[in-house]
Amino acid sequence: MDRTGKPPGTVGLDRFGFDSTVNVKELRALYLRPRHLPSRSQALTEQIPSLSDFHSTYDSSTNNISYTTVSRFPPVKLLTPHRKKRILVTGGAGFVGSHLVDRLMLLGHDVIVIDNFFTGSKTTVSHWIGHPNFELLRHDVTEPLNIECDQIYHLACPASPPHYQFDAIKTLKTSFMGTLNMLGLAKRTKARFLITSTSEIYGDPQVHPQPEDYWGNVNPIGIRACYDEGKRVAETLTYSYQRQENVEVRVARIFNTFGPRMNPQDGRVVSNFVMQALKGENMTVYGDGKQTRSFQYIHDLIDGLIALMNSNESRPVNLGNTDEFTVGDFAEMVREVVKEVKERDGEAMAPVEIVYKPIPSDDPQRRRPDNSRAKKVLEWCPRWTVRMGVEEMTRYYKTLLEAGEIE
């Protein structure tokens, strides 16, 4: 049940002349394949359409896998030419990007995805490859790109600490050069430009909750600075292009987001906890567990991004869930949800303890968005409860583990 106490029938908003609503069952069918669906939970299984355009067959005796595809795609809206937009999504094969691509495709628009596949994967958008409305390019945003488009969603950048710290200089180049190149493209094509910034620009905040006019408390030379300061300079570039070159810009400051297609090894809190609980391993909390986070489900974020892109709001906008958990309490909730899922499937859960380890450098102590601006100018607020999202993500990972697709 969502926050209204009802099963969510649709996602999306009809705002600012852009209707982004789609049926939840159609959307779920793109990432919850039939083998990912719970056998005993009517809320997810009832009338979910099956997509059979992509199959994989695993031979355990030879450790080989074969793929079969046919040219059959999910149904999309038929738009007239003047309503159909040509939309570029950088980083569109990543976690957030792939869900945005799904929504834009179902809405009937032409979508171009560019990704260098450092953290993204072709499998997240494979169900669209070959569709006449879809293009996928292997391209690094640090290099210029010359195409035509009406809107640019600039998502390209590693977002989890292990990934953005793996090559800090590359992360900085992606934030600066990638944003510079995409803003140059927006200037030339007169496309509207949206950049996904981050709550990390607030650093370890001294103001709580964090409004958009808070300037932050960031360590500019710490191990997280390549991402934090990279996003801060990307925002600076964005508003410089707005003032100097009259580019239409939108800035979304995203708070912790989770959902299916998150890399289970990306080192973030939700994926770590769910995977450890599913595998019967002790759940690792860094620090004393009293630091707080707020978590939003992926569908709420996509609603907010599309609403912001098509609104007239050019100031930064926080997009996050105002429900605040201590990390220790959140670990307890995840353990409880995983246990419930296993019990409904007739499985016993191995004893799982919560263990505490030293906290990483510069890890923020409190994080919760002030969503006042989003509520006022976008009429947006999260609909999905954290518990709903954790259960769906548990189902997703559980079946991937059972199929041997992840370890």
Side-chain angles (χ1 to χ4, degrees):
M1 301 296 176
D2 64 15
R3 292 173 184 273
T4 66
K6 301 176 182 178
T10 63
V11 295
L13 303 168
D14 188 356
R15 302 276 192 279
F16 316 112
F18 193 101
D19 185 357
S20 68
T21 56
V22 299
N23 186 283
V24 167
K25 292 169 185 172
E26 293 177 1
L27 194 61
R28 277 174 167 159
L30 302 180
Y31 59 86
L32 288 175
R33 288 173 285 174
R35 61 200 181 95
H36 290 157
L37 296 175
S39 57
R40 295 170 176 81
S41 177
Q42 184 179 5
L44 287 180
T45 56
E46 184 180 355
Q47 299 179 356
I48 295 182
S50 175
L51 299 177
S52 56
D53 58 318
F54 184 83
H55 302 276
S56 61
T57 305
Y58 176 66
D59 185 344
S60 59
S61 62
T62 61
N63 195 33
N64 288 336
I65 189 166
S66 62
Y67 297 96
T68 304
T69 184
V70 295
S71 297
R72 194 178 79 84
F73 301 100
V76 303
K77 289 183 180 179
L78 181 62
L79 300 179
T80 57
H82 78 279
R83 294 180 58 210
K84 192 174 193 178
K85 295 186 182 297
R86 187 169 174 83
I87 303 174
L88 173 66
V89 182
T90 74
F95 160 52
V96 173
S98 64
H99 285 279
L100 176 61
V101 167
D102 282 347
R103 189 79 64 87
L104 296 172
M105 284 294 297
L106 290 173
L107 294 172
H109 298 283
D110 285 333
V111 179
I112 307 164
V113 169
I114 65 172
D115 206 297
N116 67 354
F117 303 115
F118 172 58
T119 58
S121 171
K122 291 179 184 176
T123 60
T124 64
V125 292
S126 61
H127 47 281
W128 296 117
I129 293 176
H131 193 285
N133 291 357
F134 181 78
E135 296 177 61
L136 175 63
L137 303 175
R138 181 189 290 270
H139 181 83
D140 193 312
V141 292
T142 60
E143 301 295 333
L145 181 68
N146 188 20
I147 60 171
E148 305 300 320
C149 55
D150 302 308
Q151 293 182 345
I152 300 171
Y153 288 88
H154 181 40
L155 281 63
C157 187
S160 70
H163 290 149
Y164 65 64
Q165 292 171 16
F166 175 78
D167 188 343
I169 295 173
K170 177 66 174 180
T171 299
L172 281 163
K173 287 179 66 177
T174 300
S175 292
F176 184 81
M177 293 301 302
T179 303
L180 185 68
N181 286 330
M182 291 303 106
L183 283 164
L185 178 63
K187 174 187 172 184
R188 183 183 66 79
T189 60
K190 294 180 170 49
R192 182 173 291 182
F193 176 87
L194 182 149
I195 183 170
T196 53
S197 187
T198 172
S199 60
E200 298 296 334
I201 66 112
Y202 300 123
D204 189 3
Q206 297 176 338
V207 172
H208 192 78
Q210 295 82 55
E212 290 87 351
D213 57 5
Y214 175 52
W215 291 356
N217 176 38
V218 175
N219 178 358
I221 58 173
I223 60 172
R224 301 169 70 102
C226 58
Y227 184 65
D228 303 358
E229 296 288 14
K231 286 295 188 179
R232 287 164 72 96
V233 76
E235 287 196 19
T236 303
L237 266 175
T238 299
Y239 285 110
S240 296
Y241 265 79
Q242 180 194 48
R243 298 185 190 101
Q244 187 171 324
E245 306 294 348
N246 296 316
V247 173
E248 281 193 89
V249 302
R250 306 289 183 264
V251 175
R253 291 179 179 166
I254 300 174
F255 284 67
N256 289 48
T257 304
F258 71 99
R261 297 188 186 141
M262 280 188 81
N263 185 333
Q265 311 300 333
D266 73 358
R268 286 187 269 197
V269 172
V270 184
S271 52
N272 279 358
F273 286 170
V274 173
M275 286 293 293
Q276 288 171 335
L278 280 171
K279 293 192 289 185
E281 299 174 353
N282 289 338
M283 299 169 68
T284 306
V285 172
Y286 294 96
D288 60 8
K290 294 179 181 178
Q291 67 270 36
T292 68
R293 296 292 184 272
S294 58
F295 303 96
Q296 72 176 332
Y297 195 54
I298 183 64
H299 296 327
D300 285 325
L301 173 61
I302 301 305
D303 291 352
L305 290 177
I306 295 176
L308 177 59
M309 170 64 89
N310 294 284
S311 74
N312 293 320
E313 182 56 68
S314 62
R315 297 172 298 173
V317 176
N318 289 338
L319 296 176
N321 191 336
T322 55
D323 293 344
E324 187 175 7
F325 295 83
T326 68
V327 175
D329 288 345
F330 185 70
E332 294 277 4
M333 189 196 75
V334 170
R335 182 169 60 179
E336 182 181 315
V337 170
V338 172
K339 182 180 180 181
E340 290 174 358
V341 169
K342 280 180 167 282
E343 288 177 348
R344 285 202 296 268
D345 287 350
E347 303 172 17
M349 180 172 170
V352 171
E353 301 296 328
I354 297 174
V355 298
Y356 296 84
K357 293 187 177 181
I359 194 167
S361 176
D362 296 331
D363 196 55
Q365 289 300 302
R366 301 190 76 184
R367 187 64 61 75
R368 177 163 66 94
D370 181 336
N371 279 347
S372 302
R373 183 173 293 172
K375 290 179 181 178
K376 181 177 180 181
V377 302
L378 305 181
E379 299 178 55
W380 173 91
C381 62
R383 293 174 51 205
W384 293 68
T385 66
V386 175
R387 194 177 188 91
M388 283 174 60
V390 169
E391 178 175 349
E392 191 159 297
M393 194 166 170
T394 299
R395 290 284 180 188
Y396 177 79
Y397 280 161
K398 183 174 183 289
T399 307
L400 291 181
L401 283 166
E402 291 170 349
E405 295 187 27
I406 57 177
E407 297 179 346

